[in-house]
Structure formats: structure tokens, C-alpha cells
């Protein structure tokens, strides 16, 4: 108690008298009639139960039961289950990150008051100002920037730290759209390549739910690691775990790292060189073709480009995927298992065996995570893995997938309407530093700019809400730091957040927002909860600390200074918007009771998608003529004529390619870059850790102790450098130097090192990052098609520090 008294000594106490109740529903597989439980819970020690949620960007979504005494959080527990025995009604247990939200709320680096910069940008020196001063200054800067440079110079930066519905992103975008709009972004840091590339194969980015693994006898995952990325009860790991327990399917995980998913799924690990997934696919298909394991007539029924007979008229006669694999295409290289082994590091014998297993399985579920696509040739890898499912006829049927990672069925909770943006210009989110530093080079054919042939002005004002991609999660932090420090380029940066993150230090004005546990909202399940979908009502479990405020209220004040407050609020408070959104949901789900502020909290309703809606492209598989795909041909396109046109029209950097078929091509800073390897002989990839979600929770000491950020290095490479487990090491390349500790383990393949992403950047006086941030070493080069981030394609060396 003494610790908490010290931490909250400067808070402004607000007495609360509202009571809360837990909401649940009776259980049924598909239809869950609603019913409320009990009255507010209170024991003799005056503890009360309140309800919130973890809104971090892990892809899961977990309801939190928060135990509070005297307006101080005591502990966090999971909400009760509807029916633990049935998936879709099970207890959504938060992971150690979600359960650490108490420590996140009381963290000493909380932002407490509005502040304005007084030192050099990036130094982190600020002075306290009033909310009136802060909101008026932002309104003034928005007006001045709009008048001087135009609305396209105002940029709302990509972020993912808080998935609110009635505050956060939608609040800022609504305010900006009411005053002329802002420069858009497209892509995400997570999924740029897969979202751009997958539609060129199937027309859509759709995957079968993991519930279909119930019907599989073989599961093959490329770089998919649910046990660390979607590890809570509100994520897909629970869906997969229960499905595997039913089917007992053999599971194979292809990854440079022996991940926790390999352990928990009792899977076989095939270690593969980063960037080489498309080469493995080619080797597998070669075996399938030469051993007669596939039905080419069936492939041609559904797809174009597998062989010469289905190529479009514009294609060269020897440009089919079969030509590529058999060595009759222009490169004259046979892509057999021996060739694939030389590229991937997987033994040729095992590649041949795997091809036979996939082709002869009754139902093989092939999926990929987002690691394989976050490379310089990631788009080709995406399409190659999709193509494998097509050629092996392991798609469209129960127990199969389309070779991607499936998203979730959404419950359907609306957000605060952001309104239409009058500015149609859009840049790839990973190119924002170029749009600050060298906007004149950015065009539609060089950098994937949309809505205009070229940028007319650079970014002059940035709004950064609940995000650390301003620098921490962005590439080449050394160069990014230099660009952001120059306030003659980007002239004003607004950061609204909970903590003094590395990105917050680059703000010109800092705004403290309510944390998840201090906020009211009505939220959906997140994007990777699978077939399980649900609605959570959140209440402020404690009075907001210090002077923190909801970004809805912050933007309402800015809108008032700009003369559009009535249009912004439509006469509603944030709480009234929550009630409004609840009633919209209730129109579609009339079994829900009327809204009540005190009872519409907790896990309100939980459902599972019907099995008949869980198989990707099943209608096309059953009747391709009646259910054509959204591709130009209406079929699966192994050869893409659209990509052939793009490669001719776009201006690509030397060595970049947009292959028309999903073949493998080597890239710089890979194991097939002989010049690069001379100086930096180790491939470095990033991975997600259980200790934090991206950079959220990364500053909490208890999680650092439980899951320390360490660079994984194989014992062979460690012995060569005199490195022992736990040694401090210096990781370096031409972009920077990072200090961390070594984890010497055979769980990463030789000549590959793996570093958790999300550690908080901290340069010392020598310019070395001692915060363990992988982006000290990653680059800003864009991928060819999506113009996304290749942050797993890096060469480094490691020395003992």
C-alpha cells in the first residue's frame, strides 16, 4: 500500500459512486441468448469488482475483471466463462501482459499533465501547461499549417497502441476531417506485403478459421507462431489448441527459430533460412510434378498460369510456374529438392518427404504468419505459399486453408464515425520519413503514392495518437532521429499517449490520455480472435489520475477552438456515444437488453462463427463458374498479368523485382548476398515476445525480469565469437550499434540471430542503443510491390561487449 500511496501522491481524487455488475449469457455453440447475472460484488474489505479490457495490438482481445479498493487497483483477473467446455463460450483468460495493466497504470513514466517542448526536439525536455493552452496551441498550429501548406501537409501517423471505439484514432480523424482533412496512409507495419500480394492470387485476403484444423490430418505453418503472438484466451491460440486436440493432426512448423508454438503444438521444426520460403515451395512443387502427386487438370480448372495452356495471351510461352519449377523458363534452373536445399538449408530428403505428405494428405491446413512476408522479397513468398495450397489441392474444402493467416469474425461494434477525408492523397505508412525529408522524390510509380501522381508538399505537422512508430517501431532509428530532430522540415508534432515513450520525447506538445483502465468504451473483439467474436463494455475502474483525459474530450476542445465542436460531438458526450453505439448493435441483436450504464459492462456477449462460414473460398471450390473470384480472370492467378504490367510501369530500385509468378529471387542483406556477408556474416530477424506487445508493456520491470529481451544466437556462432549465455554483446551494422545480452541456444539455426522487437530505444552518449531496440539496425528500404517494411531482412555481426 505504501508503494501505491507514493505513486499516486500527486493524483486528483474523484469520488465515484457508480456500481458495476458482471454481464454474461447462457451458452450455446452458435446462438447465445442473453441474460444478466448478479448485482455488484463487494466483500467485507470493501473490494469492488469493475470491468475493463486490454486494448493492446496483440491481435487478441481480453476482458479484464479489475478488483479495486479505495479507488486503487488491487489485482486483475479474467472474467467468468459462459461454458468452459465449449469454444466460443470459454473463459477469455488474459495473458501476463494483460494482467500487468495495474503496473502499467501506476508506472512512474506516466504522462500526467499537458506539456510543451522547451529543449531541442528529441531531448525530452518539457514544461507543464494547462489544457486550455494545449488545445488552443494545437488548433492554432493546425490552422497555420493548413493555410501555409495545405491540408495534405498534415499527417495522422500510423499507430496501434490502443484499439478504442469512441476515442483514440476515430476521435482525431473526425476532428481533422471536419477541418479539411489530412494526408492518408495505407498499409500497416505488420501486414503490408501479405495484404498487397494475396489479392493478386485469390482476389481477396481470406483464410479459413483455425477451427477447420478439427478436420485436418496435416498442418503446415510457415513462420506462424500463435503461442507468442496470439497467446491469450481472446486470441487464436485457444482456437488452434482445441482444434488440434480433436483432430490430432501432425503439425510441421517452418521457421528460423524453434518457437514456443513448436513446443505447445508438439510440432516438427524445419529450420529455414530467412527470405527463402518461395524456394522451398518451388522444391516441393518440383517433387509433386515429377512424382505425379498432383492433378494438373484440377489445377487448370481453378487457376491460370500453372502451365502454358492457361497463360494469358500477353505472357511468354515459357513463363508458367511449371516452366519455372522444371527449369524450362528463361533462367534454365531446375528447382528440384537439391536446389531448394541449397537455398533454404532444409535437407533435400526432407523437402521430398514433405512434398509427398502435403500432396497425399486428406486435408492439409497450410498457413503462413507475418514473419515470412516482412522481407525484401516478402510479396513473392506470400504468393508462393498460397500457390502451394492450390497446386496440392489443399484449399476450399473442410480442413484446408488458402495459405494465409486468417483474420477474425467481427462482432460488429461501431466506432465513432471518422467521417470522409476530403484529402485523397495517401502514402505507404513506412515511407513517412521520406515524405518529411524528401517529398519531391515520392510519386505513384516510385513510392506507391495513391490519389495523386506525386506529393505536392512534405509532411509539416504530425498527430501521433497512442503510437510508438514515430521512431521506436520505425526502421533505421539513427536516420529517423536526424530527420525528426530537424524542426524546419516537420514543424510541429503532437503526441497523445500514456507514457514517456521514445516517440513521446520527439513531441512539440505532449497530451496525457486515459489508460485502458481509466477509460469507458464499448469494444469489439480484435482482428485475430478467429471464429470467436464478442462485445466488451468498459468502465473507468478508477478515477483518471492527475490530469489525464479521454482523447474524445481533448479533440472536442480542439474542435471548439476551430469552430466545429457541435459538428464534432453532435451534441453527445463520449458516454452518450457509447450508448448510441450499443443501441446500433442491439438493432441487429435484439436479444440484448436495453442499455444501462451500470450493467452494460464486462464480457456482454460471446459467439462462435458457424462452421459453414469458416472455409476460405469454399463457394468457388464447389462451383467456380457460378462463384468467380475477384481477380480479372475470375480464377486463381498463379501468373498475374496485373503484376507484369506493374513491373513494366513502375520505377524500381536496382535488383528489386515484382515477379509475375511467385518464384524465389535473392535479395541484399540475405544469406545469398556474398558481398554483404563479408562484413556482416549473420542474418538477423525480429520476433514477437511474450514480455510485451510491440513496444507496449516493454518498460515494466516485472515483465523484463520474466521474459528478458535477449538476442538468440546458435552455439556454433557464439563459440566462434567467445560468447557465453548471458554475456553482454554488441550487435552492429552500417546503420548502428545496439547493446543487449546473448541467449545462446540451438533454438535458432546457425548463421541466423533473432532479436525481440519493441524494446525502448535509448541512445547513450556514444550513440549506442542500450535499450535493445532492433530498429537501430533495420533499414528504411521499401518492399517492391506493397512499399512495405522489410524489417526482417538484415545482416549484422555480434561481438562480446
Amino acid at each position: 500500500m505504501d508503494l501505491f500511496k507514493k505513486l499516486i501522491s500527486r493524483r486528483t481524487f474523484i469520488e465515484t459512486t457508480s456500481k458495476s455488475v458482471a454481464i454474461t449469457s447462457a451458452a450455446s455453440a452458435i446462438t447465445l441468448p442473453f441474460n444478466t447475472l448478479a448485482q455488484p460484488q463487494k466483500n467485507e474489505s470493501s473490494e469492488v469488482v469493475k470491468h475493463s479490457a486490454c486494448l493492446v495490438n496483440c491481435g487478441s482481445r481480453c476482458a479484464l475483471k479489475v478488483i479495486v479498493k479505495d479507488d486503487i487497483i488491487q489485482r486483475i483477473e479474467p472474467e467468468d466463462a459462459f461454458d468452459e467446455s465449449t469454444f466460443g463460450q470459454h473463459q477469455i483468460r488474459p495473458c501476463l501482459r494483460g494482467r500487468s495493466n495495474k503496473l502499467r497504470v501506476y508506472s512512474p513514466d506516466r504522462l500526467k499533465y499537458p506539456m510543451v517542448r522547451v529543449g531541442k526536439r528529441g531531448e525530452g525536455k518539457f514544461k507543464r501547461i494547462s489544457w486550455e493552452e494545449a488545445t488552443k496551441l494545437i488548433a492554432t498550429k493546425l490552422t497555420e499549417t493548413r493555410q501555409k501548406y495545405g491540408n495534405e501537409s498534415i499527417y495522422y501517423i500510423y499507430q496501434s497502441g490502443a484499439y478504442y471505439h469512441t476515442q483514440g484514432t476515430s476521435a482525431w480523424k473526425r476532428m481533422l476531417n471536419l477541418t479539411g482533412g489530412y494526408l492518408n496512409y495505407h498499409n500497416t507495419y505488420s501486414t503490408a506485403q501479405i495484404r498487397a500480394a494475396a489479392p493478386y492470387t485469390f482476389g481477396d485476403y481470406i483464410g479459413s478459421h483455425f477451427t477447420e484444423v478439427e478436420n485436418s490430418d496435416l498442418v503446415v505453418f510457415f513462420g506462424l507462431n500463435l503461442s507468442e503472438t496470439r497467446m491469450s484466451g481472446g486470441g487464436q491460440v485457444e482456437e488452434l489448441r482445441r482444434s488440434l486436440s480433436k483432430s490430432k493432426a501432425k503439425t510441421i512448423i517452418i521457421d528460423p527459430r524453434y518457437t514456443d508454438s513448436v513446443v505447445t503444438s508438439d510440432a516438427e521444426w524445419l529450420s529455414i533460412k530467412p527470405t527463402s520460403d518461395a524456394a522451398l515451395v518451388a522444391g516441393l512443387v518440383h517433387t509433386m510434378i515429377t512424382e505425379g502427386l498432383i492433378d494438373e487438370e484440377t489445377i487448370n480448372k481453378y487457376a491460370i498460369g500453372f502451365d502454358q495452356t492457361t497463360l494469358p495471351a500477353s505472357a511468354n510461352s515459357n513463363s508458367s510456374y511449371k516452366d519455372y519449377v522444371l527449369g524450362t523458363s528463361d533462367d534454365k534452373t531446375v528447382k528440384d529438392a537439391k536446389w531448394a536445399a541449397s537455398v533454404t538449408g532444409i535437407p533435400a530428403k526432407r523437402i521430398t518427404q514433405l512434398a509427398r505428405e502435403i500432396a497425399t494428405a486428406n486435408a492439409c491446413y497450410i498457413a503462413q504468419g507475418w514473419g515470412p512476408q516482412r522481407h525484401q522479397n516478402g510479396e513473392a513468398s506470400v504468393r508462393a505459399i498460397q500457390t502451394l495450397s492450390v497446386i496440392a489441392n489443399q484449399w476450399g474444402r473442410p480442413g484446408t486453408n488458402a495459405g494465409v493467416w486468417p483474420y477474425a469474425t467481427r462482432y460488429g461494434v461501431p466506432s465513432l464515425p471518422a467521417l470522409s477525408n476530403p484529402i485523397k492523397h495517401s502514402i505507404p505508412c513506412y515511407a513517412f520519413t521520406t515524405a518529411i525529408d524528401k517529398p519531391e522524390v515520392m510519386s505513384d510509380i516510385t513510392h506507391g503514392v495513391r490519389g495523386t501522381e506525386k506529393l505536392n508538399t512534405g509532411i509539416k505537422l504530425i498527430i501521433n495518437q497512442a503510437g510508438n512508430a514515430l521512431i521506436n517501431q520505425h526502421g533505421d532509428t539513427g536516420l529517423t532521429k536526424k530527420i525528426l530532430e530537424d524542426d524546419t522540415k516537420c514543424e510541429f508534432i503532437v503526441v497523445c499517449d500514456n507514457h514517456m515513450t521514445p516517440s513521446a520525447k520527439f513531441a512539440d506538445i505532449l497530451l496525457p490520455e486515459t489508460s485502458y483502465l481509466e477509460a469507458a468504451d464499448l469494444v469489439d473483439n480484435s482482428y485475430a480472435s478467429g471464429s470467436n467474436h464478442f462485445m466488451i463494455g468498459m468502465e473507468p475502474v478508477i478515477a483518471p489520475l492527475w490530469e489525464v483525459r479521454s482523447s474524445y474530450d481533448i479533440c472536442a476542445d480542439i474542435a471548439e477552438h476551430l469552430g466545429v465542436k457541435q459538428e464534432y460531438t453532435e451534441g453527445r458526450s463520449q458516454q452518450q456515444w457509447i450508448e448510441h453505439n450499443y443501441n446500433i448493435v442491439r438493432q441487429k441483436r435484439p436479444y440484448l437488453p436495453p442499455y444501462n450504464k451500470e450493467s452494460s459492462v464486462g464480457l456482454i456477449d460471446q459467439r462462435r462463427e458457424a462452421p459453414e462460414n469458416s472455409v476460405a473460398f469454399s463457394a468457388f471450390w464447389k462451383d467456380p463458374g457460378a462463384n468467380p473470384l475477384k481477380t480479372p480472370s475470375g480464377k486463381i492467378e498463379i501468373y498475374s498479368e496485373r503484376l507484369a504490367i506493374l513491373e513494366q510501369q513502375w520505377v524500381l530500385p536496382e535488383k528489386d523485382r515484382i515477379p509475375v509468378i511467385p518464384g524465389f529471387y535473392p535479395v541484399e542483406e540475405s544469406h545469398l548476398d556474398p558481398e554483404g556477408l563479408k562484413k556482416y556474416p549473420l542474418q538477423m530477424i525480429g520476433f514477437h515476445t511474450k514480455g510485451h506487445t510491440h513496444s507496449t508493456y516493454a518498460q515494466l520491470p516485472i515483465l523484463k525480469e520474466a521474459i528478458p529481451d535477449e538476442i538468440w544466437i546458435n552455439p556454433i556462432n557464439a563459440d566462434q565469437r567467445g560468447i557465453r549465455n548471458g554475456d553482454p554483446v554488441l550487435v552492429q551494422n552500417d546503420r548502428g550499434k545496439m547493446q543487449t545480452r546473448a541467449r545462446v541456444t540451438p533454438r535458432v539455426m546457425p548463421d541466423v540471430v533473432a532479436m525481440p522487437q519493441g524494446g525502448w530505444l535509448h541512445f547513450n552518449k556514444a550513440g549506442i542503443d542500450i535499450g535493445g531496440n532492433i530498429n537501430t539496425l533495420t533499414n528504411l528500404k521499401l518492399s517492391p510491390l506493397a512499399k512495405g517494411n522489410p524489417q526482417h531482412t538484415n545482416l549484422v555481426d555480434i561481438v562480446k561487449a
Side-chain angles (χ1 to χ4, degrees):
M1 180 64 73
D2 289 341
L3 172 63
F4 287 129
K5 286 181 178 178
K6 291 178 182 178
L7 289 173
I8 64 174
S9 61
R10 286 179 289 172
R11 64 171 291 178
T12 301
F13 284 94
I14 302 174
E15 292 296 322
T16 55
T17 57
S18 62
K19 297 180 180 180
S20 58
V21 295
I23 304 297
T24 187
S25 70
S28 144
I30 303 301
T31 303
L32 300 174
F34 184 94
N35 123 23
T36 63
L37 279 184
Q39 295 301 315
Q41 302 174 41
K42 181 181 290 189
N43 61 27
E44 293 179 358
S45 63
S46 299
E47 287 187 342
V48 295
V49 175
K50 295 196 174 184
H51 304 274
S52 188
C54 181
L55 305 186
V56 74
N57 178 20
C58 68
S60 307
R61 177 69 65 246
C62 293
L64 305 177
K65 182 192 292 184
V66 186
I67 314 303
V68 178
K69 180 181 179 182
D70 298 329
D71 203 31
I72 297 173
I73 301 165
Q74 303 298 305
R75 62 190 180 275
I76 293 174
E77 299 175 355
E79 294 280 10
D80 297 331
F82 297 144
D83 177 3
E84 182 61 23
S85 65
T86 304
F87 178 72
Q89 303 153 47
H90 62 282
Q91 187 178 49
I92 298 178
R93 301 185 185 98
C95 71
L96 72 169
R97 298 177 299 216
R99 291 178 191 242
S100 71
N101 262 288
K102 175 182 76 172
L103 303 177
R104 187 171 180 269
V105 169
Y106 295 128
S107 176
D109 59 8
R110 278 293 300 271
L111 299 178
K112 303 174 178 66
Y113 313 103
M115 295 188 290
V116 66
R117 171 169 68 92
V118 294
K120 179 182 177 183
R121 186 186 284 168
E123 285 184 321
K125 295 180 180 179
F126 301 91
K127 71 173 183 179
R128 181 178 173 181
I129 58 175
S130 69
W131 273 111
E132 172 66 17
E133 290 173 305
T135 55
K136 186 175 182 180
L137 176 60
I138 293 170
T140 299
K141 289 293 184 180
L142 284 170
T143 301
E144 290 175 352
T145 304
R146 182 170 63 248
Q147 292 174 347
K148 187 174 181 180
Y149 301 107
N151 281 76
E152 61 267 32
S153 68
I154 299 169
Y155 184 59
Y156 184 88
I157 195 170
Y158 168 82
Q159 47 70 40
S160 64
Y163 279 77
Y164 289 111
H165 281 57
T166 58
Q167 63 184 75
T169 294
S170 56
W172 285 99
K173 289 186 175 181
R174 181 179 178 88
M175 184 269 292
L176 291 172
N177 286 334
L178 285 169
T179 53
Y182 58 95
L183 178 65
N184 291 277
Y185 65 77
H186 52 271
N187 298 340
T188 70
Y189 281 54
S190 296
T191 61
Q193 287 91 318
I194 197 168
R195 279 199 164 277
Y200 285 96
T201 308
F202 276 101
D204 269 320
Y205 176 26
I206 299 173
S208 302
H209 284 136
F210 284 111
T211 47
E212 282 308 305
V213 171
E214 296 176 5
N215 304 309
S216 307
D217 57 335
L218 180 64
V219 173
V220 178
F221 288 157
F222 289 76
L224 195 150
N225 182 19
L226 294 178
S227 292
E228 290 173 275
T229 56
R230 310 283 183 257
M231 64 189 189
S232 69
Q236 291 167 315
V237 69
E238 183 73 9
E239 185 176 35
L240 178 63
R241 182 185 68 80
R242 292 182 182 239
S243 296
L244 281 173
S245 69
K246 292 181 179 180
S247 67
K248 312 296 182 186
K250 178 179 180 179
T251 304
I252 298 167
I253 297 181
I254 303 162
D255 199 296
R257 262 192 338 128
Y258 187 99
T259 66
D260 284 7
S261 291
V262 179
V263 178
T264 57
S265 302
D266 192 24
E268 177 186 359
W269 176 42
L270 296 183
S271 58
I272 186 171
K273 291 286 188 180
T275 74
S276 67
D277 299 86
L280 173 58
V281 170
L284 295 170
V285 172
H286 184 276
T287 297
M288 293 177 185
I289 293 173
T290 56
E291 294 191 1
L293 299 175
I294 56 176
D295 183 345
E296 297 190 22
E297 184 177 344
T298 297
I299 297 170
N300 291 339
K301 174 183 177 183
Y302 293 105
I304 66 169
F306 172 71
D307 64 19
Q308 295 184 19
T309 65
T310 59
L311 285 171
S314 62
N316 296 330
S317 61
N318 65 339
S319 58
S320 71
Y321 190 72
K322 184 177 180 181
D323 285 310
Y324 168 76
V325 168
L326 296 181
T328 54
S329 62
D330 291 343
D331 71 1
K332 304 300 180 186
T333 302
V334 178
K335 314 303 186 304
D336 58 12
K338 184 178 179 180
W339 170 86
S342 70
V343 177
T344 65
I346 301 174
K349 182 177 180 180
R350 186 65 191 96
I351 293 173
T352 300
Q353 292 170 337
L354 179 59
R356 294 166 181 163
E357 290 178 86
I358 293 172
T360 60
N362 291 322
C364 179
Y365 192 103
I366 300 171
Q368 62 182 295
W370 294 341
Q373 57 96 43
R374 214 168 292 135
H375 281 287
Q376 194 60 48
N377 58 2
E379 292 97 345
S381 296
V382 168
R383 296 191 66 235
I385 297 166
Q386 287 188 300
T387 295
L388 175 63
S389 67
V390 175
I391 292 174
N393 195 27
Q394 298 292 1
W395 67 279
R397 297 179 288 109
T400 68
N401 186 35
V404 298
W405 186 345
Y407 262 25
T409 297
R410 302 305 297 265
Y411 187 88
V413 180
S415 293
L416 178 72
L419 308 177
S420 177
N421 187 351
I423 302 298
K424 305 307 177 186
H425 304 171
S426 178
I427 62 171
C429 62
Y430 197 61
F432 87 90
T433 42
T434 305
I436 295 172
D437 192 37
K438 298 178 181 177
E440 68 278 1
V441 306
M442 294 187 64
S443 72
D444 53 348
I445 62 174
T446 60
H447 289 75
V449 174
R450 298 178 184 173
T452 181
E453 289 186 0
K454 62 182 181 66
L455 289 188
N456 299 315
T457 184
I459 293 173
K460 297 298 182 181
L461 187 152
I462 288 177
I463 304 289
N464 182 14
Q465 155 72 32
N468 209 358
L470 187 65
I471 185 166
N472 202 81
Q473 301 303 98
H474 199 54
D476 195 348
T477 54
L479 177 57
T480 299
K481 178 175 179 286
K482 291 179 182 177
I483 293 171
L484 294 176
E485 284 175 341
D486 186 351
D487 56 13
T488 67
K489 292 182 177 178
C490 181
E491 298 175 359
F492 195 70
I493 298 175
V494 179
V495 172
C496 181
D497 214 318
N498 299 148
H499 302 90
M500 184 62 80
T501 66
S503 292
K505 292 179 180 179
F506 284 82
D508 294 303
I509 190 164
L510 267 174
L511 307 176
E513 187 182 29
T514 48
S515 67
Y516 311 145
L517 302 192
E518 297 162 311
D521 214 338
L522 184 71
V523 299
D524 220 317
N525 56 294
S526 195
Y527 57 83
S529 60
S531 62
N532 188 32
H533 48 293
F534 45 89
M535 180 169 66
I536 303 171
M538 299 168 56
E539 61 184 330
V541 305
I542 58 172
L545 296 167
W546 304 289
E547 292 184 10
V548 303
R549 299 179 68 200
S550 157
S551 51
Y552 176 87
D553 292 335
I554 296 170
C555 289
D557 285 355
I558 299 170
E560 183 172 23
H561 289 300
L562 294 170
V564 291
K565 182 174 182 178
Q566 178 58 36
E567 294 89 335
Y568 175 82
T569 65
E570 295 184 20
R572 297 188 181 100
S573 66
Q574 184 180 359
Q575 187 62 51
Q576 288 170 327
W577 274 106
I578 292 170
E579 180 177 355
H580 176 75
N581 289 345
Y582 180 94
N583 289 330
I584 291 175
V585 174
R586 190 166 175 253
Q587 290 174 6
K588 298 180 180 180
R589 300 177 185 269
Y591 59 84
L592 293 171
Y595 179 81
N596 180 288
K597 180 180 178 181
E598 294 185 356
S599 63
S600 295
V601 292
L603 184 57
I604 296 173
D605 191 23
Q606 186 177 4
R607 308 238 157 186
R608 173 181 166 176
E609 180 62 275
E612 58 267 24
N613 297 327
S614 290
V615 181
F617 305 109
S618 59
F620 176 71
W621 184 83
K622 293 172 183 175
D623 190 342
N627 302 287
L629 300 179
K630 295 178 182 178
T631 58
S633 65
K635 291 187 173 186
I636 300 164
E637 296 193 351
I638 299 173
Y639 180 103
S640 173
E641 194 170 24
R642 288 181 294 169
L643 291 180
I645 294 170
L646 282 183
E647 188 168 40
Q648 292 297 317
Q649 292 180 342
W650 282 8
V651 178
L652 298 173
E654 187 180 1
K655 299 182 180 179
D656 271 12
R657 292 189 55 200
I658 302 178
V660 296
I661 57 167
F664 168 77
Y665 66 96
V667 293
E668 294 178 315
E669 297 205 48
S670 74
H671 61 300
L672 297 177
D673 178 4
E675 290 303 312
L677 290 170
K678 290 178 182 178
K679 192 173 184 181
Y680 301 113
L682 300 173
Q683 284 184 276
M684 182 185 69
I685 59 171
F687 67 93
H688 293 277
T689 169
K690 291 180 176 179
H692 43 86
T693 300
H694 303 299
S695 67
T696 307
Y697 305 112
Q699 86 277 26
L700 299 184
I702 193 169
L703 294 181
K704 287 184 177 183
E705 182 178 354
I707 306 100
D709 282 355
E710 302 167 316
I711 193 161
W712 291 26
I713 182 170
N714 187 275
I716 295 172
N717 302 122
D719 288 345
Q720 293 168 346
R721 293 161 173 79
I723 294 171
R724 299 292 176 261
N725 192 56
D727 280 349
V729 293
L730 199 64
V731 191
Q732 56 193 342
N733 60 20
D734 288 343
R735 290 181 287 275
K737 297 179 180 181
M738 173 191 69
Q739 186 169 312
T740 184
R741 290 192 177 272
R743 180 178 181 184
V744 180
T745 173
R747 288 180 59 173
V748 65
M749 67 187 306
D751 300 329
V752 176
V753 294
M755 182 69 197
Q757 64 88 23
W760 281 20
L761 183 71
H762 184 182
F763 287 117
N764 66 12
K765 291 181 179 179
I768 298 171
D769 168 36
I770 59 174
N773 185 283
I774 189 175
N775 291 314
T776 306
L777 305 161
T778 62
N779 66 63
L780 288 173
K781 185 178 180 181
L782 302 175
S783 67
L785 175 63
K787 309 304 179 186
N789 58 307
Q791 284 172 285
H792 292 335
T793 308
N794 312 283
L795 290 181
V796 300
D797 200 5
I798 298 180
V799 296
K800 188 173 179 179

